[in-house]
Amino acid sequence: MSDDFILDTDDLQRRMDGAMANLKTEFASLRTGRASGSMLEPVMVDAYGSMTPINQVGTVNVPEPRMVTINVWDKGLVGKVEKAIRESGLGINPQLNGTIIMLPIPELNEERRKELTKVAARYAESARVSVRNLRRDGMDQIKKAKADGLSEDDQKFWEAEVQELTDAAIKALDAALETKQEEIMQV
């Protein structure tokens, strides 16, 4: 049993990459002063009796750098979409034009930019915690194998592998955070 132990590092790597992908999705929802259709992804609309993402009730477009438009397919949902955007906390005031909702993106002031960098840092810390939990899972598997007879050299080898994966993932998360914070602070 002891010599047959092989830690599934590909699975650990895939799960750590998942934490990075989740962080990038959260970063995309942060408003940086430029229009982006992805900033509406977290907004849900009460449509047809269930909570529905905006991109499933209309077409989201970015016609210019400071404007997002939503062409709502069902006229009856225009008011609900507008209400969902107002209540989303994005700080955007929707303007109606028939079935088209226009979202002018205001310039960010310095205070709001600093606030957004703190939000980005919280998202990154949450991703780091996920990666550390995955590291702990890997180390627990190694400890269990050691109890089943894994040699000390093999234990050290696998622990080094897990630590290497963790360090690389944390470094990538930190680089993504730094890039996002620079983007937010850019005037």
Side-chain angles (χ1 to χ4, degrees):
M1 166 72 191
S2 65
D3 295 334
D4 297 339
F5 177 76
I6 294 180
L7 183 67
D8 191 354
T9 54
D10 290 341
D11 180 53
L12 274 178
Q13 182 65 55
R14 182 185 51 75
R15 290 165 59 196
M16 287 181 184
D17 290 346
M20 182 63 162
N22 187 40
L23 177 67
K24 286 185 176 181
T25 302
E26 288 176 327
F27 278 174
S29 71
L30 283 179
R31 203 160 54 85
T32 59
R34 287 190 296 275
S36 165
S38 62
M39 63 194 276
L40 295 173
E41 283 178 7
V43 181
M44 302 296 268
V45 180
D46 184 11
Y48 312 114
S50 66
M51 297 308 281
T52 311
I54 281 190
N55 63 3
Q56 292 182 15
V57 296
T59 308
V60 178
N61 290 313
V62 183
E64 53 190 76
R66 295 202 136 335
M67 178 73 71
V68 176
T69 61
I70 306 161
N71 188 355
V72 183
W73 300 318
D74 183 352
K75 285 184 181 181
L77 292 177
V78 173
K80 290 184 177 184
V81 171
E82 179 189 19
K83 181 180 179 203
I85 294 168
R86 283 189 200 281
E87 294 176 352
S88 69
L90 288 174
I92 301 173
N93 192 18
Q95 299 170 352
L96 292 177
N97 183 2
T99 59
I100 296 177
I101 299 174
M102 295 180 295
L103 305 171
I105 310 298
E107 281 282 338
L108 293 174
N109 61 19
E110 188 68 21
E111 182 182 322
R112 181 72 176 134
R113 287 178 194 279
K114 287 181 179 175
E115 196 177 302
L116 285 174
T117 59
K118 289 177 185 172
V119 171
R122 280 197 302 267
Y123 287 163
E125 183 55 32
S126 165
R128 280 190 212 100
V129 168
S130 296
V131 168
R132 289 186 200 116
N133 286 340
L134 292 170
R135 175 189 176 278
R136 189 192 62 226
D137 291 348
M139 292 298 190
D140 287 348
Q141 288 177 28
I142 295 166
K143 283 182 184 145
K144 187 172 185 275
K146 175 129 174 60
D148 291 341
L150 183 70
S151 73
E152 201 163 314
D153 287 345
D154 287 345
Q155 177 190 6
K156 292 202 181 315
F157 170 79
W158 287 114
E159 285 176 350
E161 286 284 309
V162 169
Q163 189 60 50
E164 199 175 295
L165 286 174
T166 304
D167 292 345
I170 297 283
K171 187 175 179 181
L173 292 171
D174 290 344
L177 172 63
E178 192 173 312
T179 303
K180 186 63 176 182
Q181 286 181 330
E182 285 173 9
E183 182 184 323
I184 290 169
M185 292 308 288
Q186 202 174 52
V187 178

